Amino acid sequence: MTTVRYCINGKLVNGIAPTNRGFAYGDGVFRTMRLLNGELQDWPLHYQTLVADCSKIQIVCPSAELLMQEFKYLMASANEEDTQFSILKIMITRGEGARGYAPPSVSEPTRVLIQSPLPNYPAEIYANGVALYTCQTRLASQPLLAGIKHLNRLENVLARAELKDPRFFDGLLRDYDDHVIEAVSGNLFIRKDGVVMTPVLESCGVAGVMRQKILDWYKTQRQTVLVATLTMDDLLSAEAVVIVNSVYGVLQVSHIDDQAVATNHWAKELRSQLHYVTH
């Protein structure tokens, strides 16, 4: 697949009004998911999260039936290659509005579906792990927006711009209290002293669907995951560190900056337990 497909409010167009509040203010939310053999991976969990995120910023989320209808319309002309491995991004904005921050008293949410190629991840990152760069960009505290995958992602843009060295797959983000929060494009877990941990996201960060999927899996196994305040020392002294998102799945972290991190088969085990296909 080399092309990108768009569907906006049920029409195969790629334009949006300049007065749309998603464009003007980042007034909306989004989710990104994999398409495998014509099926959206983890769609119920993605939709559940879309509804929750919309609710937090007081947008009425379109129904799952409408979004699925538009997804099928978008894919109607796709060839077999397009349906095997690709990505679907869904954005919900508050819709159009007049100038000014005040949201309109009545709004019609805008639905944007974008299908694009799945990145061609090299096999060695699944076999050997990846290196992370510790970003200088910090995440600001805003509990009202913590966990939401909203359209205001300038902190991530600035952090990603720091990654100029091709040795690094992604960046590591901290808050202003030096607590580790997440990767630029994903969440993280560590295993230390036999305990699985993931950073608390009460003040900043995104609660990703793959993060929730892993939390849910451990719960089904009656194993506890500690949601905790983590520091760089915790990561560097851990038995293993992984980064996760809905596109690349689970990746072992082999290095943070120039320092090696302990590695084992944890990432491979998680991919197997979650039935994640790496190609």
Side-chain angles (χ1 to χ4, degrees), residues 91-110:
M91 294 187 286
I92 308 297
T93 83
R94 198 177 303 273
E96 296 185 32
R99 189 194 66 79
Y101 290 132
S105 56
V106 178
S107 60
E108 182 67 32
T110 297

PDB file of all heavy atoms in Angstrom, residues 91-110:
ATOM      1  N   MET A  91     -10.239  10.440  13.997  1.00  0.00           N
ATOM      2  CA  MET A  91     -10.248  11.695  14.735  1.00  0.00           C
ATOM      3  C   MET A  91     -11.686  12.176  14.887  1.00  0.00           C
ATOM      4  O   MET A  91     -12.453  12.137  13.925  1.00  0.00           O
ATOM      5  CB  MET A  91      -9.421  12.767  14.007  1.00  0.00           C
ATOM      6  CG  MET A  91      -7.938  12.479  13.940  1.00  0.00           C
ATOM      7  SD  MET A  91      -6.996  13.861  13.244  1.00  0.00           S
ATOM      8  CE  MET A  91      -7.437  13.709  11.519  1.00  0.00           C
ATOM      9  N   ILE A  92     -12.020  12.605  16.068  1.00  0.00           N
ATOM     10  CA  ILE A  92     -13.327  13.206  16.336  1.00  0.00           C
ATOM     11  C   ILE A  92     -13.073  14.620  16.836  1.00  0.00           C
ATOM     12  O   ILE A  92     -12.419  14.812  17.866  1.00  0.00           O
ATOM     13  CB  ILE A  92     -14.114  12.424  17.404  1.00  0.00           C
ATOM     14  CG1 ILE A  92     -14.194  10.926  17.057  1.00  0.00           C
ATOM     15  CG2 ILE A  92     -15.501  13.026  17.571  1.00  0.00           C
ATOM     16  CD1 ILE A  92     -14.926  10.617  15.784  1.00  0.00           C
ATOM     17  N   THR A  93     -13.557  15.624  16.104  1.00  0.00           N
ATOM     18  CA  THR A  93     -13.416  17.006  16.567  1.00  0.00           C
ATOM     19  C   THR A  93     -14.790  17.529  16.975  1.00  0.00           C
ATOM     20  O   THR A  93     -15.820  16.940  16.648  1.00  0.00           O
ATOM     21  CB  THR A  93     -12.823  17.925  15.482  1.00  0.00           C
ATOM     22  OG1 THR A  93     -13.864  18.366  14.599  1.00  0.00           O
ATOM     23  CG2 THR A  93     -11.746  17.222  14.674  1.00  0.00           C
ATOM     24  N   ARG A  94     -14.777  18.678  17.656  1.00  0.00           N
ATOM     25  CA  ARG A  94     -16.048  19.268  18.086  1.00  0.00           C
ATOM     26  C   ARG A  94     -16.849  19.777  16.887  1.00  0.00           C
ATOM     27  O   ARG A  94     -18.047  20.041  16.995  1.00  0.00           O
ATOM     28  CB  ARG A  94     -15.811  20.410  19.068  1.00  0.00           C
ATOM     29  CG  ARG A  94     -17.053  20.776  19.883  1.00  0.00           C
ATOM     30  CD  ARG A  94     -16.748  21.865  20.908  1.00  0.00           C
ATOM     31  NE  ARG A  94     -15.688  21.499  21.815  1.00  0.00           N
ATOM     32  CZ  ARG A  94     -15.867  20.820  22.947  1.00  0.00           C
ATOM     33  NH1 ARG A  94     -17.089  20.433  23.295  1.00  0.00           N
ATOM     34  NH2 ARG A  94     -14.844  20.524  23.725  1.00  0.00           N
ATOM     35  N   GLY A  95     -16.200  19.913  15.747  1.00  0.00           N
ATOM     36  CA  GLY A  95     -16.874  20.398  14.544  1.00  0.00           C
ATOM     37  C   GLY A  95     -16.529  21.852  14.273  1.00  0.00           C
ATOM     38  O   GLY A  95     -15.551  22.386  14.795  1.00  0.00           O
ATOM     39  N   GLU A  96     -17.317  22.494  13.454  1.00  0.00           N
ATOM     40  CA  GLU A  96     -17.052  23.884  13.094  1.00  0.00           C
ATOM     41  C   GLU A  96     -17.609  24.845  14.146  1.00  0.00           C
ATOM     42  O   GLU A  96     -18.537  24.522  14.879  1.00  0.00           O
ATOM     43  CB  GLU A  96     -17.656  24.185  11.719  1.00  0.00           C
ATOM     44  CG  GLU A  96     -17.012  23.365  10.603  1.00  0.00           C
ATOM     45  CD  GLU A  96     -17.517  23.757   9.234  1.00  0.00           C
ATOM     46  OE1 GLU A  96     -17.848  24.945   9.040  1.00  0.00           O
ATOM     47  OE2 GLU A  96     -17.580  22.870   8.360  1.00  0.00           O
ATOM     48  N   GLY A  97     -16.997  26.020  14.199  1.00  0.00           N
ATOM     49  CA  GLY A  97     -17.440  27.008  15.169  1.00  0.00           C
ATOM     50  C   GLY A  97     -16.960  28.394  14.799  1.00  0.00           C
ATOM     51  O   GLY A  97     -16.114  28.566  13.910  1.00  0.00           O
ATOM     52  N   ALA A  98     -17.489  29.378  15.487  1.00  0.00           N
ATOM     53  CA  ALA A  98     -17.089  30.764  15.236  1.00  0.00           C
ATOM     54  C   ALA A  98     -15.723  31.022  15.860  1.00  0.00           C
ATOM     55  O   ALA A  98     -15.192  30.208  16.623  1.00  0.00           O
ATOM     56  CB  ALA A  98     -18.130  31.713  15.828  1.00  0.00           C
ATOM     57  N   ARG A  99     -15.153  32.190  15.550  1.00  0.00           N
ATOM     58  CA  ARG A  99     -13.867  32.557  16.118  1.00  0.00           C
ATOM     59  C   ARG A  99     -13.998  32.676  17.639  1.00  0.00           C
ATOM     60  O   ARG A  99     -15.018  33.101  18.156  1.00  0.00           O
ATOM     61  CB  ARG A  99     -13.406  33.896  15.535  1.00  0.00           C
ATOM     62  CG  ARG A  99     -11.963  34.274  15.907  1.00  0.00           C
ATOM     63  CD  ARG A  99     -11.671  35.722  15.597  1.00  0.00           C
ATOM     64  NE  ARG A  99     -12.473  36.612  16.437  1.00  0.00           N
ATOM     65  CZ  ARG A  99     -12.182  36.899  17.699  1.00  0.00           C
ATOM     66  NH1 ARG A  99     -11.132  36.366  18.285  1.00  0.00           N
ATOM     67  NH2 ARG A  99     -12.960  37.720  18.394  1.00  0.00           N
ATOM     68  N   GLY A 100     -12.936  32.307  18.349  1.00  0.00           N
ATOM     69  CA  GLY A 100     -12.951  32.390  19.804  1.00  0.00           C
ATOM     70  C   GLY A 100     -12.919  31.024  20.450  1.00  0.00           C
ATOM     71  O   GLY A 100     -13.311  30.018  19.855  1.00  0.00           O
ATOM     72  N   TYR A 101     -12.451  30.991  21.688  1.00  0.00           N
ATOM     73  CA  TYR A 101     -12.290  29.721  22.384  1.00  0.00           C
ATOM     74  C   TYR A 101     -13.608  29.083  22.809  1.00  0.00           C
ATOM     75  O   TYR A 101     -13.713  27.866  22.919  1.00  0.00           O
ATOM     76  CB  TYR A 101     -11.425  29.910  23.633  1.00  0.00           C
ATOM     77  CG  TYR A 101      -9.977  30.202  23.330  1.00  0.00           C
ATOM     78  CD1 TYR A 101      -9.322  31.245  23.974  1.00  0.00           C
ATOM     79  CD2 TYR A 101      -9.257  29.438  22.424  1.00  0.00           C
ATOM     80  CE1 TYR A 101      -7.983  31.520  23.716  1.00  0.00           C
ATOM     81  CE2 TYR A 101      -7.933  29.698  22.146  1.00  0.00           C
ATOM     82  CZ  TYR A 101      -7.293  30.744  22.800  1.00  0.00           C
ATOM     83  OH  TYR A 101      -5.975  31.000  22.541  1.00  0.00           O
ATOM     84  N   ALA A 102     -14.615  29.881  23.076  1.00  0.00           N
ATOM     85  CA  ALA A 102     -15.866  29.347  23.619  1.00  0.00           C
ATOM     86  C   ALA A 102     -16.466  28.305  22.682  1.00  0.00           C
ATOM     87  O   ALA A 102     -16.707  28.588  21.507  1.00  0.00           O
ATOM     88  CB  ALA A 102     -16.859  30.481  23.843  1.00  0.00           C
ATOM     89  N   PRO A 103     -16.714  27.106  23.159  1.00  0.00           N
ATOM     90  CA  PRO A 103     -17.338  26.096  22.297  1.00  0.00           C
ATOM     91  C   PRO A 103     -18.767  26.470  21.971  1.00  0.00           C
ATOM     92  O   PRO A 103     -19.458  27.075  22.812  1.00  0.00           O
ATOM     93  CB  PRO A 103     -17.266  24.814  23.134  1.00  0.00           C
ATOM     94  CG  PRO A 103     -17.176  25.280  24.540  1.00  0.00           C
ATOM     95  CD  PRO A 103     -16.442  26.579  24.512  1.00  0.00           C
ATOM     96  N   PRO A 104     -19.240  26.132  20.774  1.00  0.00           N
ATOM     97  CA  PRO A 104     -20.631  26.444  20.421  1.00  0.00           C
ATOM     98  C   PRO A 104     -21.594  25.686  21.317  1.00  0.00           C
ATOM     99  O   PRO A 104     -21.308  24.580  21.781  1.00  0.00           O
ATOM    100  CB  PRO A 104     -20.729  25.989  18.966  1.00  0.00           C
ATOM    101  CG  PRO A 104     -19.629  25.002  18.782  1.00  0.00           C
ATOM    102  CD  PRO A 104     -18.531  25.426  19.691  1.00  0.00           C
ATOM    103  N   SER A 105     -22.734  26.298  21.579  1.00  0.00           N
ATOM    104  CA  SER A 105     -23.724  25.653  22.448  1.00  0.00           C
ATOM    105  C   SER A 105     -24.286  24.390  21.807  1.00  0.00           C
ATOM    106  O   SER A 105     -24.659  23.442  22.496  1.00  0.00           O
ATOM    107  CB  SER A 105     -24.861  26.634  22.765  1.00  0.00           C
ATOM    108  OG  SER A 105     -25.449  27.113  21.560  1.00  0.00           O
ATOM    109  N   VAL A 106     -24.349  24.386  20.476  1.00  0.00           N
ATOM    110  CA  VAL A 106     -24.777  23.199  19.727  1.00  0.00           C
ATOM    111  C   VAL A 106     -23.707  22.922  18.678  1.00  0.00           C
ATOM    112  O   VAL A 106     -23.332  23.827  17.919  1.00  0.00           O
ATOM    113  CB  VAL A 106     -26.143  23.419  19.044  1.00  0.00           C
ATOM    114  CG1 VAL A 106     -26.520  22.190  18.236  1.00  0.00           C
ATOM    115  CG2 VAL A 106     -27.221  23.740  20.076  1.00  0.00           C
ATOM    116  N   SER A 107     -23.204  21.725  18.649  1.00  0.00           N
ATOM    117  CA  SER A 107     -22.144  21.397  17.691  1.00  0.00           C
ATOM    118  C   SER A 107     -22.417  20.052  17.037  1.00  0.00           C
ATOM    119  O   SER A 107     -23.109  19.202  17.589  1.00  0.00           O
ATOM    120  CB  SER A 107     -20.780  21.368  18.388  1.00  0.00           C
ATOM    121  OG  SER A 107     -20.762  20.387  19.410  1.00  0.00           O
ATOM    122  N   GLU A 108     -21.873  19.887  15.860  1.00  0.00           N
ATOM    123  CA  GLU A 108     -21.970  18.639  15.101  1.00  0.00           C
ATOM    124  C   GLU A 108     -20.561  18.086  14.955  1.00  0.00           C
ATOM    125  O   GLU A 108     -19.768  18.600  14.170  1.00  0.00           O
ATOM    126  CB  GLU A 108     -22.584  18.890  13.722  1.00  0.00           C
ATOM    127  CG  GLU A 108     -22.762  17.642  12.866  1.00  0.00           C
ATOM    128  CD  GLU A 108     -23.792  16.682  13.432  1.00  0.00           C
ATOM    129  OE1 GLU A 108     -24.769  17.169  14.058  1.00  0.00           O
ATOM    130  OE2 GLU A 108     -23.625  15.464  13.264  1.00  0.00           O
ATOM    131  N   PRO A 109     -20.203  17.065  15.742  1.00  0.00           N
ATOM    132  CA  PRO A 109     -18.831  16.550  15.690  1.00  0.00           C
ATOM    133  C   PRO A 109     -18.421  16.134  14.275  1.00  0.00           C
ATOM    134  O   PRO A 109     -19.236  15.620  13.504  1.00  0.00           O
ATOM    135  CB  PRO A 109     -18.873  15.345  16.632  1.00  0.00           C
ATOM    136  CG  PRO A 109     -19.990  15.641  17.569  1.00  0.00           C
ATOM    137  CD  PRO A 109     -21.018  16.359  16.748  1.00  0.00           C
ATOM    138  N   THR A 110     -17.179  16.394  13.966  1.00  0.00           N
ATOM    139  CA  THR A 110     -16.603  15.993  12.681  1.00  0.00           C
ATOM    140  C   THR A 110     -15.908  14.647  12.845  1.00  0.00           C
ATOM    141  O   THR A 110     -15.169  14.435  13.805  1.00  0.00           O
ATOM    142  CB  THR A 110     -15.590  17.036  12.186  1.00  0.00           C
ATOM    143  OG1 THR A 110     -16.277  18.266  11.952  1.00  0.00           O
ATOM    144  CG2 THR A 110     -14.916  16.590  10.899  1.00  0.00           C
TER     145      THR A 110
END
